[in-house]
Amino acid sequence: FVEHRMERIMAFNENGGRSLIVIRHGERCDVVFNEKGGRSWVKRAFTDHGAYTPFDCNLPRNVPRRSDGYEGFETDTPLTEMGYLQSKLIGRAMRDQGIQIDHIYTSSALRCIQTGVGIIKGYGLGRGENRELKMNIDGGLYEWMQWCRGVKPSTMEHSDLLKIGYPIDTLYKPMVTVDDLRLDETVPQYYKRSNSLVQRILKKHKTGTILIIGHASTLEACTRQLCGGEIRSKEDFLAMIRNTPYLGSLHAYEHPRRSWELGGSIVPALTHSNNYSFDPAIYKMDHDEILKRAQHDLGFIL
């Protein structure tokens, strides 16, 4: 299935057609570690003075220093260790499939930028490799703003990203910044914003394969109108988002006559099971406590 699709990609590229790959970021810290109705992972991992101590092996060993302070991670979460590994695996899969990436664009969310770093690392496109690619960061690729729940998200300064060696293109001028976006953005407005940026990117690059790294909603919003589809209803749009896993990807390719067609994923699926936090205290519990814990945590009665 994937080999057949790769033959079609290469055939279109040989005819001068461009390819667009859109991919979601990897696993994020806040979704995994924020306590429901309780403390965020930031409040658990940072002291009041900003000292960072990971309380789980899946939290990053180190986090970048940011000009807006560690509190910025509350609305601009990094990847987990697994999220970064996921990104490297996808980069390696792209290389193994013989996919040449010519340009990289990413949302200004840290989780997307770090996903790009992982893909570059896994592919072998970083500093000191045979070919080096830098990421173009654009706030226009940020997710649908109503997911922000009324709070404008933080983003990291380019100077902070450069200090830790992230390969970003400082000469690139973004279409918009997150500060320009409205928190009450409607679904049609989000589609329009995403499609406008895709058209701008395609106008800039007349050949090659373009990788866009964004959010669950980016796969739909950046390809739907490009490939001739109508804007979906809010209900269908949300259903698409809920069914897009971490590192899910879509491929759109250009026909010689310059129309675009939506393909599937250009790499095999990335599948793994959940791994819940382990509490050794269960080995000290009596029968009644074990039954109560199973019903509370797992939702069933033993």
Side-chain angles (χ1 to χ4, degrees), residues 192-236:
K192 181 179 179 181
R193 184 220 321 162
S194 301
N195 186 57
S196 295
L197 180 53
V198 167
Q199 295 298 333
R200 175 184 171 181
I201 291 172
L202 293 175
K203 186 176 181 180
K204 183 176 181 179
H205 305 294
K206 302 300 183 182
T207 60
T209 298
I210 302 158
L211 174 63
I212 290 179
I213 304 166
H215 309 263
S217 55
T218 309
L219 279 70
E220 163 70 8
C222 283
T223 61
R224 180 69 176 170
Q225 292 166 284
L226 174 68
C227 297
E230 298 292 331
I231 293 176
R232 296 186 193 271
S233 67
K234 182 177 179 180
E235 292 74 18
D236 289 349

Side-chain angles (χ1 to χ4, degrees), residues 24 144 147 190 216-218 220 236-245:
R24 187 189 178 191
W144 180 42
W147 282 120
Y190 174 62
S217 55
T218 309
E220 163 70 8
D236 289 349
F237 171 72
L238 293 175
M240 302 293 291
I241 293 174
R242 295 188 183 103
N243 285 281
T244 304

Side-chain angles (χ1 to χ4, degrees), residues 55-199:
F55 55 83
D56 190 282
C57 292
N58 194 26
L59 280 170
R61 292 178 64 193
N62 301 288
V63 291
R65 291 184 178 274
R66 47 192 310 154
S67 297
D68 57 354
Y70 74 91
E71 297 88 352
F73 291 120
E74 292 279 11
T75 58
D76 189 29
T77 182
L79 294 179
T80 63
E81 289 287 280
M82 287 302 301
Y84 184 63
L85 175 60
Q86 290 170 331
S87 306
K88 291 198 292 184
L89 290 174
I90 292 299
R92 186 182 70 185
M94 289 181 176
R95 181 195 64 203
D96 292 346
Q97 293 291 336
I99 300 164
Q100 176 168 312
I101 305 300
D102 300 296
H103 315 284
I104 301 179
Y105 288 81
T106 175
S107 162
S108 51
L110 178 58
R111 57 191 179 274
C112 298
I113 296 169
Q114 290 183 327
T115 297
V117 173
I119 290 174
I120 288 172
K121 181 71 173 179
Y123 193 112
L125 292 172
R127 186 179 304 171
E129 304 288 348
N130 293 331
R131 191 164 65 95
E132 181 180 356
L133 277 184
K134 293 187 177 182
M135 298 180 290
N136 301 306
I137 300 174
D138 203 305
L141 288 172
Y142 206 86
E143 66 184 340
W144 180 42
M145 292 301 289
Q146 289 201 32
W147 282 120
C148 300
R149 304 182 187 279
V151 179
K152 192 65 71 77
S154 298
T155 56
M156 288 191 63
E157 300 287 343
H158 280 193
S159 57
D160 294 334
L161 298 171
L162 290 171
K163 286 177 183 177
I164 52 178
Y166 284 4
I168 62 173
D169 186 349
T170 57
L171 299 179
Y172 175 73
K173 303 299 181 183
M175 182 179 78
V176 295
T177 66
V178 171
D179 288 336
D180 299 323
L181 303 177
R182 294 175 58 93
L183 289 170
D184 60 353
E185 182 180 50
T186 64
V187 168
Q189 287 171 340
Y190 174 62
Y191 271 97
K192 181 179 179 181
R193 184 220 321 162
S194 301
N195 186 57
S196 295
L197 180 53
V198 167
Q199 295 298 333

